[in-house]
Amino acid sequence: MMNVERGFLWGASSAPLQIEGNNVSSDWWAREESIPGMVPSGDAIDSYHRFPEDMRLLADAGLNAYRFGIEWARIEPRQGQISRAQLAHYRRMIDTARNLGLTPVVTLHHFTNPQWFAELGGWLADDAVDHFIRYVRTVIPILDGVEWVATINEPNMMTMMIEMARAAESGELPEWQSPTVEGAVQPLLPIPDPEVGRRFVEAHHAVRDLIRDATGAKVGWTVANQALTASPGNETKHREIQYALEDLYLEAARGDDFIGVQAYSTQQVDENGLVPHAPHPDNTLVGTAYRPDALGLAVRHTWEVTGGVPILVTENGIAIGDDARRISYTSGALSGLFSAMADSIDVRGYLHWTALDNYEWGHWEPTFGLIAVDRETFERTPKPSLAWLGDVARRGGLPA
């Protein structure tokens, strides 16, 4: 079995709203009050206060990287009002990670916006990119020493979320459906509008060089990779769907220092579009098929479309209660990843989704974490999968 070189990132990932708790100035906090069926995030898992413990658990297990996000709504809770205390908080997170031997991979935008930004029209407003540029300029001073910066997480999913929120607020959807949890209504959602997607491309390109020039960091963004396949005779439909869902965003990464691959399962395309995952005992807690080979497929496709931009796996994991199956899934995913690397695809690291069981965008039931969390006491309990992944990291590869 292949072993990776020193310097390869082995870690886990998180998102601010899902773990911090009480992101009261964000549009998601407001949305939780207004959309039927959306369970509140509340205290989440209180990582805002407990991040040193969370990071130490990862480092002690043998991992060397942690991906976490900065919450725009905390930095700028009101338009033009900058919180110096919150900037200092996120700088403490960066310092804590580095002091523990964890390479920080910092995401500047992970799905959530300040509520004031949403009220101005959000990403569809004429001056949306200007607001984002101002926010990024505000954050740049605390990024000193950060080697990896992702500007925007999964812009393709955010484009879909904009349409989902519109449908939920207008009553077209009877109840909120998380984009990460497949249900009866999800396959009926439209494919993301490429024109909305191009707004995110504009925002990403607008800040990429600002960050590079000021920090020297490697800058990219992350894309939700579906590992789409075509049913016989539907290759043209497959290419159409794949462009709108994924390739538009991968093409935009061609000038980046890295591209974040985020893959969980595969999905087929027929003459009507995406085919819902058929019910099966092996399906995950979010309704997707058990497909550890998705990561290898996604990495190969990303490498091809981007023209050879270095790859950092920024999310890969499985929502499941059986931790032995998590280990089995991750082992299979890493086998596919190593196979791609053996074919000279440049992969710089693997960051598992997720570090801790957390709030899954309107739901609590799906458990992706390497660490279990008691939501009453916030006690952290590492799962066997954390020790297993730490051992893989120490070896630099899978056991023989």
Side-chain angles (χ1 to χ4, degrees), residues 105-116:
V105 179
V106 177
T107 306
L108 301 184
H109 188 284
H110 199 129
F111 289 165
T112 51
N113 307 296
Q115 177 59 13
W116 62 261

Side-chain angles (χ1 to χ4, degrees), residues 1-4 10 331-339 342 392 395-400:
M1 177 58 67
M2 173 180 183
N3 284 73
V4 299
W10 289 103
S331 179
L334 288 173
S335 292
L337 180 67
F338 294 156
S339 174
V392 170
R395 292 172 181 268
L398 294 166

Side-chain angles (χ1 to χ4, degrees), residues 249-255 259 301-311:
Y249 307 89
L250 296 178
E251 290 174 3
R254 286 177 179 165
I259 175 69
H301 179 72
T302 295
W303 181 252
E304 179 182 353
V305 175
T306 61
V309 172
I311 288 168

Side-chain angles (χ1 to χ4, degrees), residues 130-384:
D130 293 333
H131 289 302
F132 186 62
I133 292 171
R134 187 180 70 248
Y135 156 64
V136 171
R137 286 187 185 277
T138 301
V139 169
I140 280 174
I142 68 167
L143 298 178
D144 181 54
V146 174
E147 299 175 40
W148 300 84
V149 177
T151 60
I152 300 172
N153 177 77
E154 293 189 344
N156 48 342
M157 292 302 290
M158 284 211 294
T159 304
M160 183 180 289
M161 283 180 173
I162 288 172
E163 298 181 29
M164 290 174 64
R166 284 173 175 167
E169 289 165 359
S170 68
E172 293 176 48
L173 292 178
E175 187 172 284
W176 170 253
Q177 179 67 36
S178 169
T180 63
V181 179
E182 181 161 316
V185 297
Q186 186 166 328
L188 303 179
L189 288 170
I191 296 300
D193 182 350
E195 286 306 308
V196 178
R198 291 187 183 99
R199 174 59 58 87
F200 290 116
V201 172
E202 179 188 356
H204 171 59
H205 287 170
V207 300
R208 180 175 59 192
D209 289 341
L210 291 177
I211 301 165
R212 276 177 178 159
D213 293 345
T215 68
K218 300 175 184 68
V219 183
W221 68 352
T222 74
V223 173
N225 304 90
Q226 270 77 17
L228 299 176
T229 60
S231 59
N234 294 301
E235 290 76 15
T236 299
K237 188 68 172 179
H238 170 256
R239 285 192 295 270
E240 172 194 329
I241 297 292
Q242 191 160 53
Y243 177 78
L245 263 181
E246 190 170 328
D247 289 0
L248 165 66
Y249 307 89
L250 296 178
E251 290 174 3
R254 286 177 179 165
D256 292 0
D257 301 304
F258 74 95
I259 175 69
V261 167
Q262 307 196 161
Y264 296 85
S265 186
T266 64
Q267 198 149 10
Q268 193 176 62
V269 175
D270 65 11
E271 65 275 11
N272 299 312
L274 292 177
V275 178
H277 293 283
H280 191 279
D282 279 346
N283 281 3
T284 73
L285 294 174
V286 293
T288 53
Y290 180 90
R291 291 292 299 269
D293 61 325
L295 181 58
L297 294 171
V299 163
R300 291 176 184 276
H301 179 72
T302 295
W303 181 252
E304 179 182 353
V305 175
T306 61
V309 172
I311 288 168
L312 179 62
V313 177
T314 41
E315 291 185 21
N316 170 253
I318 183 170
I320 202 161
D322 181 351
D323 198 54
R325 291 286 279 166
R326 176 170 291 102
I327 293 172
S328 177
Y329 171 91
T330 309
S331 179
L334 288 173
S335 292
L337 180 67
F338 294 156
S339 174
M341 293 170 68
D343 290 335
S344 300
I345 294 176
D346 184 1
V347 179
R348 305 294 178 87
Y350 174 86
L351 308 178
H352 192 83
W353 184 268
T354 177
L356 305 107
D357 289 341
N358 59 25
Y359 177 73
E360 189 57 35
W361 305 109
H363 306 270
W364 280 103
E365 291 79 10
T367 48
F368 284 91
L370 299 169
I371 302 167
V373 181
D374 185 313
R375 286 176 49 213
E376 296 294 324
T377 66
F378 302 116
E379 181 181 2
R380 274 70 168 141
T381 304
K383 301 176 186 179

